[in-house]
Amino acid sequence: DAKTTQPNSMESNEEEPVHLPCNHSTISGTDYIHWYRQLPSQGPEYVIHGLTSNVNNRMASLAIAEDRKSSTLILHRATLRDAAVYYCILRAAWGGSQGNLIFGKGTKLSVKP
Amino acid sequence: SQTIHQWPATLVQPVGSPLSLECTVEGTSNPNLYWYRQAAGRGLQLLFYSVGIGQISSEVPQNLSASRPQDRQFILSSKKLLLSDSGFYLCAWSPGQFGDQPQHFGDGTRLSIL
């Protein structure tokens, strides 16, 4: 399975933008890039996903490098409720066990008031 | 809209006792269903997944088992719990198993084995 690399932790100030990086140099052409986050004592929450083009939704934006070997999750204005562990995960396009999510250690985001 | 329910939220069980955790999904049909476990301070580990009634795939051999008696019901069981079974158990669903389909998680069951 293609793997991802994320920083262990990051800090941000409230109301400032946050850019969470993810490297996936062995990504295949049909792997989707998914982002999830897990708040303390809760289950993971889906944030966003994309294949090649940048994506926006109400929670965040996903910027995907042209060669797809890296991506960045962008929170436009961090709030205290955004403090969580953020996971970048590759999901194979074609299903089967390769379509399952493999969670790494993620990036623990701290937000300072 | 679709919702996923897991219960109980917390559970304390003695070693050697049986286990049954239930998960149900509403508002969709024929979902893919998943059981994950998160041990204290560690990442999520996929335990089982199911693409249909009676179809269960195991990712990690252990003393746990899963069943899917109905389309939107997924059950995690054990005949005899071990201390190492402690953890945060999460159920998730997905519209399918393809890469462009996100997974949605329940609120989890925190299981403590004494």
Side-chain angles (χ1 to χ4, degrees):
Chain A
D1 293 329
K3 304 242 186 294
T4 63
T5 304
Q6 299 177 253
N8 289 333
S9 62
M10 290 183 65
E11 277 191 352
S12 172
N13 294 318
E14 198 176 9
E15 299 191 5
E16 289 185 356
V18 181
H19 289 64
L20 296 162
C22 181
N23 288 322
H24 28 79
S25 58
T26 59
I27 191 171
S28 78
T30 54
D31 284 342
Y32 283 81
I33 302 160
H34 284 243
W35 283 83
Y36 291 77
R37 70 180 186 182
Q38 187 174 19
L39 279 65
S41 300
Q42 294 188 25
E45 176 185 23
Y46 164 75
V47 177
I48 201 166
H49 76 278
L51 184 62
T52 56
S53 303
N54 294 344
V55 185
N56 300 297
N57 66 20
R58 63 175 180 81
M59 290 182 70
S61 295
L62 176 59
I64 301 173
E66 197 169 333
D67 63 6
R68 299 205 334 120
K69 293 186 177 181
S70 66
S71 60
T72 302
L73 180 71
I74 303 165
L75 307 179
H76 295 285
R77 262 181 101 219
T79 70
L80 296 178
R81 290 179 300 168
D82 291 322
V85 178
Y86 287 77
Y87 298 98
C88 168
I89 302 168
L90 302 183
R91 194 170 189 204
W94 307 117
S97 62
Q98 293 177 331
N100 295 330
L101 296 176
I102 309 296
F103 282 81
K105 294 186 178 178
T107 297
K108 184 174 183 178
L109 176 66
S110 303
V111 180
K112 295 184 288 185
Chain B
S1 63
Q2 301 89 3
T3 55
I4 180 169
H5 302 281
Q6 263 188 265
W7 64 93
T10 58
L11 189 60
V12 180
Q13 293 283 97
V15 170
S17 63
L19 173 73
S20 180
L21 300 180
E22 189 164 341
C23 171
T24 59
V25 181
E26 295 177 358
T28 188
S29 59
N30 198 30
N32 273 26
L33 296 172
Y34 307 83
W35 277 113
Y36 290 85
R37 176 172 63 199
Q38 188 171 34
R42 304 187 70 175
L44 278 82
Q45 180 186 39
L46 178 65
L47 301 175
F48 300 96
Y49 68 96
S50 171
V51 299
I53 296 175
Q55 299 178 62
I56 309 294
S57 296
S58 174
E59 290 292 299
V60 181
Q62 62 238 312
N63 74 321
L64 300 171
S65 62
S67 62
R68 185 170 176 174
Q70 300 180 43
D71 181 44
R72 290 167 292 173
Q73 184 185 29
F74 205 23
I75 297 171
L76 183 69
S77 304
S78 174
K79 291 182 180 177
K80 278 181 126 177
L81 286 167
L82 306 172
L83 281 174
S84 57
D85 291 324
S86 292
F88 191 38
Y89 287 82
L90 291 150
C91 181
W93 77 274
S94 176
Q97 58 192 89
F98 298 106
D100 63 342
Q101 293 164 323
Q103 288 187 17
H104 303 280
F105 288 79
D107 292 331
T109 294
R110 198 161 297 280
L111 175 64
S112 299
I113 310 300
L114 302 179

